[in-house]
């Protein structure tokens, strides 16, 4: 990820085709080490490509990834199964919150 970020920074700075030396310079300026093998892989994947097209293709791929829909559906299925299961869960939640409250005041403050 650091190599891609450095490549993007170089591109935003006006360098349309950053070299490995450019990426190393950016990363070393902030004290980040460089793994030559990983850098070579990233450079091979991005060589000869317009960074805007790469970003657009990545956005299209991410748009097809499902996110969050399954959680809501399973929650409603559990509620439809029966209300009896909800009561013990609420009691357990109340007990946990009481335990958490008792831990809050330990007689000292971390900032004193």
């Amino acid at each position: 990820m650091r190599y891609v970020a450095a490549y993007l920074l170089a591109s935003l700075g006006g360098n349309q085709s950053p070299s490995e030396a450019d990426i190393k310079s950016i990363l070393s300026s902030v004290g980040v080490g460089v793994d030559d093998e990983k850098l070579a892989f990233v450079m091979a994947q991005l060589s000869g490509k317009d960074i805007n097209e790469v970003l657009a293709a990545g956005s299209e791929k991410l748009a097809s990834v499902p996110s969050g829909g399954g959680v809501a559906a399973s929650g409603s299925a559990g509620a439809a199964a029966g209300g009896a299961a909800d009561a013990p869960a609420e009691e357990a939640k109340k007990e946990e919150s009481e335990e958490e409250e008792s831990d809050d005041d330990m007689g000292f403050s971390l900032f004193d």
Side-chain angles (χ1 to χ4, degrees), residues 9 22-32:
L9 283 172
D22 296 331
I23 304 302
K24 286 181 181 181
S25 172
I26 291 170
L27 293 174
S28 66
S29 71
V30 292
V32 175

Side-chain angles (χ1 to χ4, degrees), residues 3-4 10 17 20 22 30 35 43 49 51 64 67 74 97 108:
Y3 308 109
V4 175
S17 58
E20 286 189 28
D22 296 331
V30 292
D35 181 354
M43 295 302 292
K49 296 180 182 175
I51 194 66
S64 67
S67 60
S74 65
S97 64
F108 64 91

